[in-house]
Amino acid sequence: MPQNEYIEESIKRHGRRLDFAERKRKREAREAHKSSQFAQKVTGLRAKMYNKKRHSEKIQMKKTIKQHEEKNAKQKDAEAVPEGAVPGYLLDREGQQRAKVLSNMIKQKRKEKAGKWNVPLPKVRGIAEDEMFKVLRSGKTKAKSWKRMVTKATFVGDGFTRKPPKYERFIRPSALRYKKAHVTHPELKATFCLPIIGVKKNPQSPLYTQLGVLTKGTVIEVNVSELGLVTTGGKVVWGKYAQITNNPELDGCVNALLLV
Amino acid sequence: MAEEKANVIAQFYNEEGVASGPALSLPVDVNQEHLALLLNSLLGTEEDPLPYTFEIAETEIVNTLDQDIIQSGKHSTEETFKIIYRPQAVFRVRAVTRCSSSLTGHTDAILCVQFSPCGTMLASGGGDTTVRIWDLNTETPQHQLKGHTHWVQHVSWSPNGKYLASAGMDGLVIVWDPKTGKQHATLKGHQKWVSALAWEPLHLNSACRRLASSSSDGTVRVWDVVKKQLEFSMAQHTAPVMCVKWAGDGLIYSASRDKTIKVWASTGPHPGKLVKVLSGHAHWVTTLALSTDGVLRTGANDHTGKMYKDEAEAQKRALQRYEQAIALNPERLCSGSDDFTMYLWPNKKEEGAEGKKAAPKRMVGHQKTVNHVSFSPDGRYIASASFDKSVKIWDSRDGKFIASLRGHVAEVYQVVWSSDSRMLLSCSKDSTIKLWDIKTKKMKMELPGHLDEVFTVDWSPSGDKAASGSKDKTLKIWKY
């Protein structure tokens, strides 16, 4: 007979052996195999007793699992009324895009007046001039360096013609020009490929706005007439603002989020 | 030859083609008022003159005879003109032009509004499962009726104004007492959502006891609201029934998504017996309209606003009004469908007259689903609202196309006529309501103001107000 709690005492004094955790894990892993071996081998009364015990264990286990599942699963409220009521004549019709009227004009105007934009990307990384522009050397001996090439994606309007080389201070490479943007409607959770109308504001600097540089966080105006949104006055909305959410110069496409 | 003094020979005919008075020599610059004066004296009604419209070969005289008929080049001054005159409503409804109040209270989209037959109360039902009754004098909420557990799709006043019935997605039909705002009866039985309700016309039953409801489970049920139980049920449709109408001759019409319209008897030894099946549509039949809808809805209430002492007197007046209406234009049924067409079904009289089965008139022209059709209260015109952004006007006699009213930039959901049949309101997904003039067939007024799709609109039978319900959860009252 053991005298006193000498094992616990020893653990308290000296700690466990260093591989205790590992041995324990292994023993536990082996447990299933061991019990299975026993279950296959056992016969007679012992088998009967063992099976009975195992049976009640299993029931208990299943009950516990079910309880946990119930706790995790979201309970459906029987009384809840679903959102988005529609009249009977619109029920069961497929392919209906139920776009909400996005803005009311007054709200948007008020925002514009305050000069504040509640935009999805409120802060942008600053871009230094030497990252934005590449210096092009010109002149016979390549001694002049007043020419700049924009190294970011740009939007260039339809009617643009390049100036003669002598007067062209900023070159916007045609490989980095974009005419369309993938605009996501935040409420419809749908994305549309829409033509860009213009660059409203590049947060980096007014110069970039003027040049039509598309960087992350830039607010662009897109043509949403395809979406069929209407104003409260019953006119079709033509242009709406969207903010660019990716780095177009790295990704090769322009992704934007519609500002509602 | 002095042209401005040219005269033409003309003779007046009524709508049936019977001549009234002798052929007359008229100056070509005669206008509508002159003609009306002349006709009233011919018919001996100078004391109490009636307004008329005049047509020559289906062209209405709007300005003068010279401008409208002769200068169009189709007619010369040599021929004898056959002027067809049509009586108009003796009262005039003024066009609604402004929003007098925006009523908030519903916490979800408003799906249905309806004025009471006398035009003094307004009921609305919405996605927030409540039905609300509004006081129109002060434009404030009066009662909030709670009882449904799902969206309320339809509200309907009984023609005597004593009950208000509402039906919803929960399959319940609830009858309310609008004076106290208490539940009168809850009618359970439908397995799926109820799409439409129709009361028995007042001239058939002075107490307004019976109510028909159509449901998505394919049945039409007729309830007794006094006994608060099911009277009989009609279940032969194989798809959801979208619309039900109770005609003045006692027949019940139901339109279903199984592409048919079925006609049922409501009286006789076998109530609920299938009388006829009207088939022809190639897709869901979504909407029905009767030429007597305006009269049946208002019952005994006419433009004079007279009150009746007892039910029998009101019933007598309702019968009188119904008979007046069918004397002018026999009761007809028009149906609109998802196959972009409408059908004008021949009535009993026409079928009998020709000996064989008269073919229904097919009205084509819309390019998308016809969502709503509505007869003018005098039964002369049919207006149809379609998802192709247009409202079209049709002649209710022969189903001929008259005009297309364009102006909405999105789907048009519903149309409603003014009680004098001179104007039309349409509501649309583009968040506006537009007022159209039937005489000029042009837009008279645009009523913006809602922030979202306008699902429903109704014009008061007394004509002084219109109401609209929108997805933006507000109810707007429009006035002149």
Side-chain angles (χ1 to χ4, degrees):
Chain A
M1 290 293 284
Q3 302 293 311
N4 303 327
E5 301 287 332
Y6 66 92
I7 299 178
E8 281 75 21
E9 194 64 35
S10 161
I11 291 169
K12 218 179 191 178
R13 287 220 179 110
H14 313 290
R16 293 185 185 278
R17 52 187 291 172
L18 292 173
D19 60 351
F20 170 77
E22 198 186 355
R23 276 160 55 95
K24 192 173 172 233
R25 178 182 61 76
K26 281 185 173 165
R27 202 182 310 122
E28 270 166 12
R30 225 179 288 125
E31 189 57 45
H33 296 273
K34 256 194 150 170
S35 64
S36 140
Q37 226 168 22
F38 176 72
Q40 283 175 31
K41 197 178 68 188
V42 71
T43 53
L45 180 64
R46 281 182 81 205
K48 238 179 173 175
M49 280 162 64
Y50 177 76
N51 283 341
K52 191 163 184 229
K53 184 179 141 236
R54 185 77 188 130
H55 178 69
S56 61
E57 261 177 26
K58 271 190 172 169
I59 289 172
Q60 199 54 48
M61 203 150 59
K62 279 201 176 141
K63 275 185 183 166
T64 321
I65 288 171
K66 208 169 179 194
Q67 265 177 358
H68 279 285
E69 271 173 356
E70 263 170 24
K71 199 170 71 187
N72 294 339
K74 260 186 198 163
Q75 293 294 306
K76 212 177 224 176
D77 190 0
E79 295 292 294
V81 179
E83 291 265 305
V86 287
Y89 53 80
L90 291 179
L91 283 169
D92 310 330
R93 287 188 192 281
E94 280 176 16
Q96 291 256 336
Q97 267 182 13
R98 309 205 50 79
K100 228 186 136 193
V101 175
L102 300 173
S103 59
N104 63 65
M105 293 302 257
I106 305 161
K107 240 194 232 167
Q108 183 157 359
K109 268 191 194 134
R110 200 180 297 146
K111 268 184 197 161
E112 230 164 308
K113 231 181 200 169
K116 262 186 200 165
W117 289 89
N118 189 11
V119 288
L121 293 177
K123 274 188 180 174
V124 290
R125 182 182 66 95
I127 298 177
E129 211 158 272
D130 56 346
E131 188 191 337
M132 183 67 90
F133 299 123
K134 185 183 168 194
V135 179
L136 291 184
R137 300 196 153 256
S138 53
K140 199 175 173 185
T141 55
K142 300 285 174 208
K144 294 171 184 162
S145 55
W146 52 267
K147 224 177 223 259
R148 301 283 182 274
M149 186 164 75
V150 182
T151 59
K152 303 281 174 198
T154 51
F155 168 75
V156 180
D158 263 339
F160 176 75
T161 354
R162 286 176 67 174
K163 289 199 175 72
K166 192 174 166 187
Y167 301 109
E168 192 182 34
R169 197 163 124 73
F170 296 105
I171 299 173
R172 293 178 284 186
S174 58
L176 279 172
R177 291 183 192 175
Y178 290 91
K179 282 201 159 37
K180 292 209 164 182
H182 305 296
V183 182
T184 304
H185 191 299
E187 273 155 30
L188 284 180
K189 303 270 190 296
T191 306
F192 309 90
C193 187
L194 301 174
I196 303 173
I197 298 171
V199 174
K200 167 76 179 162
K201 190 168 184 90
N202 189 319
Q204 309 284 352
S205 104
L207 172 69
Y208 300 163
T209 309
Q210 215 173 20
L211 283 171
V213 178
L214 306 175
T215 54
K216 190 171 180 173
T218 305
V219 177
I220 55 173
E221 195 172 12
V222 287
N223 185 349
V224 291
S225 57
E226 275 172 45
L227 303 190
L229 309 170
V230 279
T231 63
T232 50
K235 304 280 184 293
V236 174
V237 178
W238 184 59
K240 279 206 74 69
Y241 295 137
Q243 193 180 32
I244 296 177
T245 52
N246 69 335
N247 291 310
E249 73 279 4
L250 303 179
D251 297 350
C253 67
V254 182
N255 297 341
L257 194 67
L258 209 62
L259 302 180
V260 177
Chain B
M1 192 181 84
E3 259 198 0
E4 61 271 10
K5 282 181 186 167
N7 277 8
V8 291
I9 308 292
Q11 193 167 13
F12 288 112
Y13 290 85
N14 69 7
E15 283 179 291
E16 267 81 48
V18 180
S20 315
L24 304 163
S25 170
L26 299 173
V28 288
D29 56 351
V30 68
N31 66 17
Q32 201 191 348
E33 281 93 64
H34 299 149
L35 286 171
L37 214 62
L38 197 59
L39 182 63
N40 275 312
S41 69
L42 273 177
L43 298 174
T45 50
E46 301 111 309
E47 300 292 307
D48 191 15
L50 288 170
Y52 287 97
T53 58
F54 300 95
E55 291 182 1
I56 293 174
E58 288 167 8
T59 316
E60 195 179 326
I61 301 171
V62 179
N63 299 315
T64 66
L65 191 106
D66 187 36
Q67 278 176 13
D68 292 330
I69 310 296
I70 294 159
Q71 282 177 6
S72 68
K74 282 184 210 146
H75 305 274
S76 81
T77 51
E78 305 285 310
E79 54 188 282
T80 306
F81 287 117
K82 189 177 172 185
I83 302 180
I84 294 170
Y85 64 87
R86 289 184 170 156
Q88 282 197 296
V90 289
F91 55 97
R92 221 167 239 288
V93 169
R94 288 168 72 183
V96 290
T97 52
R98 66 191 173 89
C99 176
S100 72
S101 58
S102 295
L103 304 174
T104 51
H106 278 288
T107 53
D108 203 346
I110 296 171
L111 304 179
C112 48
V113 293
Q114 199 183 26
F115 282 98
S116 67
C118 50
T120 52
M121 280 190 280
L122 174 69
S124 66
D128 61 350
T129 75
T130 62
V131 176
R132 281 160 203 258
I133 298 180
W134 309 87
D135 179 18
L136 282 180
N137 291 324
T138 54
E139 293 177 359
T140 46
Q142 200 167 33
H143 297 297
Q144 183 180 352
L145 314 178
K146 283 183 184 166
H148 283 287
T149 55
H150 207 312
W151 310 339
V152 181
Q153 288 288 5
H154 199 102
V155 289
S156 178
W157 291 82
S158 68
N160 62 3
K162 281 191 182 145
Y163 301 116
L164 171 71
S166 64
M169 295 287 287
D170 49 4
L172 294 181
V173 176
I174 302 184
V175 181
W176 312 87
D177 181 355
K179 292 262 155 44
T180 58
K182 296 253 166 60
Q183 255 187 45
H184 175 74
T186 307
L187 308 169
K188 278 184 202 164
H190 281 299
Q191 305 296 313
K192 285 187 186 166
W193 62 278
V194 183
S195 52
L197 297 169
W199 286 89
E200 183 166 25
L202 185 63
H203 66 263
L204 296 177
N205 187 340
S206 58
C208 286
R209 283 184 71 159
R210 293 202 287 176
L211 170 72
S213 64
S214 66
S215 162
S216 176
D217 60 7
T219 62
V220 177
R221 282 165 196 260
V222 176
W223 312 86
D224 187 321
V225 299
V226 176
K227 283 194 250 166
K228 306 180 187 180
Q229 66 187 28
L230 181 70
E231 193 114 305
F232 51 91
S233 148
M234 299 166 279
Q236 289 207 10
H237 281 295
T238 54
V241 186
M242 295 311 288
C243 193
V244 63
K245 291 276 171 193
W246 201 316
D249 53 4
L251 295 176
I252 298 174
Y253 296 93
S254 63
S256 162
R257 286 191 174 167
D258 64 5
K259 307 178 209 168
T260 62
I261 300 160
K262 287 189 160 71
V263 188
W264 317 83
S266 67
T267 50
H270 304 291
K273 194 182 81 174
L274 182 66
V275 176
K276 213 177 354 175
V277 180
L278 307 174
S279 51
H281 280 297
H283 204 323
W284 298 349
V285 188
T286 49
T287 175
L288 288 178
L290 284 169
S291 61
T292 50
D293 267 348
V295 177
L296 296 183
R297 173 184 166 190
T298 49
N301 300 289
D302 57 8
H303 63 282
T304 56
K306 198 179 158 193
M307 303 303 272
Y308 296 92
K309 283 201 298 281
D310 56 357
E311 284 177 351
E313 201 174 321
Q315 186 179 13
K316 220 169 101 192
R317 174 70 186 138
L319 185 63
Q320 191 188 352
R321 287 190 71 213
Y322 174 70
E323 276 166 358
Q324 264 175 11
I326 56 169
L328 218 62
N329 276 305
E331 193 165 63
R332 278 171 232 266
L333 178 77
C334 181
S335 60
S337 160
D338 260 30
D339 64 0
F340 314 163
T341 66
M342 295 143 65
Y343 272 92
L344 186 64
W345 302 94
N347 58 5
K348 244 188 265 165
K349 220 158 100 191
E350 284 164 345
E351 279 197 339
E354 285 170 38
K356 57 179 192 297
K357 229 183 173 185
K361 304 279 186 334
R362 191 157 181 253
M363 291 135 87
V364 291
H366 277 298
Q367 285 145 5
K368 276 185 184 164
T369 297
V370 180
N371 190 47
H372 192 228
V373 290
S374 174
F375 274 92
S376 64
D378 64 1
R380 224 189 112 188
Y381 297 110
I382 302 170
S384 60
S386 164
F387 286 176
D388 65 4
K389 305 171 191 173
S390 72
V391 176
K392 287 188 198 290
I393 310 279
W394 315 78
D395 195 325
S396 77
R397 292 191 155 242
D398 47 10
K400 213 174 265 172
F401 172 74
I402 295 177
S404 188
L405 310 177
R406 295 196 171 272
H408 281 294
V409 295
E411 283 93 324
V412 186
Y413 284 151
Q414 284 190 333
V415 283
V416 60
W417 287 84
S418 70
S419 48
D420 66 350
S421 309
R422 288 188 178 98
M423 279 170 293
L424 190 66
L425 271 182
S426 62
C427 69
S428 160
K429 192 181 172 182
D430 67 9
S431 81
T432 64
I433 301 161
K434 290 189 201 293
L435 180 75
W436 309 89
D437 192 2
I438 294 309
K439 198 168 173 186
T440 58
K441 315 218 166 34
K442 288 211 173 69
M443 186 166 74
K444 197 168 188 182
M445 189 67 71
E446 192 177 4
L447 305 170
H450 278 296
L451 301 177
D452 212 330
E453 301 171 27
V454 188
F455 283 142
T456 175
V457 67
D458 194 21
W459 201 324
S460 160
S462 56
D464 55 343
K465 281 177 187 120
S468 60
S470 158
K471 201 181 168 189
D472 68 3
K473 304 168 191 174
T474 60
L475 182 79
K476 281 187 191 283
I477 309 262
W478 307 89
K479 270 187 176 174
Y480 49 75

